[in-house]
């Protein structure tokens, strides 16, 4: 669920999304990076299939600002071949005032865990999605959510490039350093990738995908999308990833699997099972 809170017209571009997932017993590690351009501060909202009733400290945020090239290194573990879909078929489906939610400083972001949809009322109004969007997404009624407010440390908000020029109002996209966290899993037999799109304040049945999914598991998992092919790295991750800088996210002794999802697809999340 690549969703953005705030004013719909503020988001100018989102693309080149990279995700990494790894099972860690009853919990899952997830990393997300992308290119984005916006005319004002926005927040990215990622749903999490956590057990119902999870507490506010259920999510552990991980600072990866010191390893911005994680996905470049992951990609280096694969031969230079192009993966095409096996067919052109679609993706398969798989009240009273309360205290504000805790805010965590994680590299270039401020992050919060929202335990349930109703708790968005405790979040800064600038970074919420409308009630109409949530009514169109009843499947997330008892999920939790990570909210990342995109900030630039030198300007206070995500408002300047590394060269001091404003990014707001410009068409140039900036690559976001990886956002990483660990959360408890509702179903320990699956790996979850948040890929449903809400970029303009509306939920559309189809969306343009530009995603590369990486994952590690005890065995190769079957994607809930038979039209696409998974590739496995010929060596273990330690051969192409700086495992020490990954803050325990990448298992250096295991290979990495990669799945490319491009083009117009049904607008849904991806599960590996």
């Amino acid at each position: 669920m690549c969703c953005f809170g705030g004013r719909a017209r503020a988001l100018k571009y989102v693309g080149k999304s990279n995700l990494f997932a790894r099972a860690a017993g009853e919990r899952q590690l997830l990393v997300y990076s992308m290119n984005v351009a916006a005319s004002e501060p926005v927040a990215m909202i990622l749903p999490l299939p956590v057990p119902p009733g999870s507490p506010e400290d259920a999510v552990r945020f991980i600072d990866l600002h010191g390893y911005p090239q994680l996905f470049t290194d992951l990609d280096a573990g694969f031969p230079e071949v192009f993966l095409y879909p096996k067919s052109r078929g679609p993706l398969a489906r798989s009240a009273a005032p309360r205290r504000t939610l805790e805010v965590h400083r994680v590299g270039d972001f401020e992050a919060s865990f929202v335990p349930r949809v109703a708790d968005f009322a405790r979040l800064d109004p600038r970074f919420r999605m409308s009630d109409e969007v949530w009514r169109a997404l009843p499947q997330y009624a008892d999920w939790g959510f990570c909210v990342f407010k995109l900030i630039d440390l030198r300007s206070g908000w995500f408002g300047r490039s590394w060269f001091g020029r404003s990014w707001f109002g410009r068409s140039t996209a900036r690559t976001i350093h990886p956002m990483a966290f660990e959360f408890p899993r509702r179903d320990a037999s699956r790996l979850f990738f948040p890929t449903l799109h809400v970029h303009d304040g509306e939920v559309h049945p189809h969306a343009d995908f530009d995603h590369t999914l990486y994952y590690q598991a005890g065995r190769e998992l079957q994607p809930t999308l038979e039209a696409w092919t998974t590739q496995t790295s010929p060596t273990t991750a330690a051969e192409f990833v700086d495992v020490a800088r990954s803050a325990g996210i990448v298992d250096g002794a295991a290979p990495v699997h990669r799945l490319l999802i491009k083009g117009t697809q049904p607008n849904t999340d991806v599960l590996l099972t």
Side-chain angles (χ1 to χ4, degrees):
M1 183 179 181
C2 177
C3 304
F4 287 84
R7 296 200 301 173
R9 64 177 179 270
L11 193 65
K12 304 302 181 184
Y13 169 81
V14 180
K16 299 188 182 302
S17 297
N18 291 282
L19 293 85
F20 175 85
R22 182 167 74 84
E26 298 299 313
R27 298 175 68 84
Q28 178 183 319
L29 293 155
L30 185 66
V31 187
Y32 202 118
S33 181
M34 63 192 168
N35 289 359
V36 63
S39 60
E40 61 185 59
V42 294
M44 186 174 186
I45 300 170
L46 300 174
L48 303 178
V50 298
S54 292
E56 294 182 16
D57 60 356
V59 169
R60 178 175 68 95
F61 293 100
I62 303 169
D63 187 352
L64 282 183
H65 84 276
Y67 195 11
Q69 72 271 29
L70 169 62
F71 286 106
T72 301
D73 288 353
L74 283 168
D75 190 62
F78 295 84
E80 290 299 321
V81 299
F82 294 97
L83 297 180
Y84 294 97
K86 296 176 182 176
S87 72
R88 296 185 180 273
L91 292 171
R93 295 289 175 191
S94 120
R98 293 167 288 179
R99 66 180 180 85
T100 57
L101 293 167
E102 184 176 358
V103 175
H104 306 264
R105 193 60 173 263
V106 189
D108 288 353
F109 313 112
E110 286 181 352
S112 296
F113 174 59
V114 181
R116 57 196 59 81
V117 171
D119 289 317
F120 274 97
R122 302 161 59 191
L123 196 66
D124 188 323
R126 293 178 299 169
F127 306 112
R128 304 175 193 168
M129 293 196 300
S130 70
D131 291 341
E132 289 74 17
V133 169
W134 293 120
R135 281 193 288 269
L137 299 169
Q139 65 270 35
Y140 298 113
D142 64 349
W143 288 36
F145 305 84
C146 277
V147 178
F148 289 88
K149 304 172 188 177
L150 309 187
I151 334 170
D152 184 287
L153 294 177
R154 289 188 282 181
S155 64
W157 280 103
F158 181 54
R160 293 188 180 277
S161 73
W162 294 114
F163 304 101
R165 296 173 299 186
S166 174
W167 286 88
F168 295 139
R170 297 174 64 89
S171 59
T172 304
R174 175 184 173 183
T175 300
I176 299 301
H177 83 63
M179 299 171 278
F181 52 92
E182 180 187 72
F183 62 93
R185 296 195 281 173
R186 180 176 304 199
D187 183 348
S189 69
R190 296 181 170 187
L191 280 180
F192 170 77
F193 290 95
T195 55
L196 183 139
H197 296 48
V198 179
H199 293 176
D200 59 0
E202 298 183 15
V203 182
H204 300 283
H206 290 79
D208 290 330
F209 278 69
D210 183 15
H211 291 58
T212 304
L213 310 183
Y214 301 89
Y215 72 91
Q216 289 182 301
R219 61 191 183 284
E220 184 170 343
L221 300 177
Q222 176 63 41
T224 54
L225 35 90
E226 296 181 358
W228 296 88
T229 301
T230 301
Q231 185 184 20
T232 301
S233 64
T235 64
T236 60
E239 297 295 324
F240 50 91
V241 172
D242 190 336
V243 176
R245 293 174 67 196
S246 76
I249 290 173
V250 178
D251 180 359
V256 176
H257 308 288
R258 183 175 71 171
L259 177 66
L260 307 182
I261 307 178
K262 309 292 181 181
T264 301
Q265 307 288 348
N267 194 10
T268 184
D269 295 317
V270 172
L271 292 172
L272 304 181
T273 184

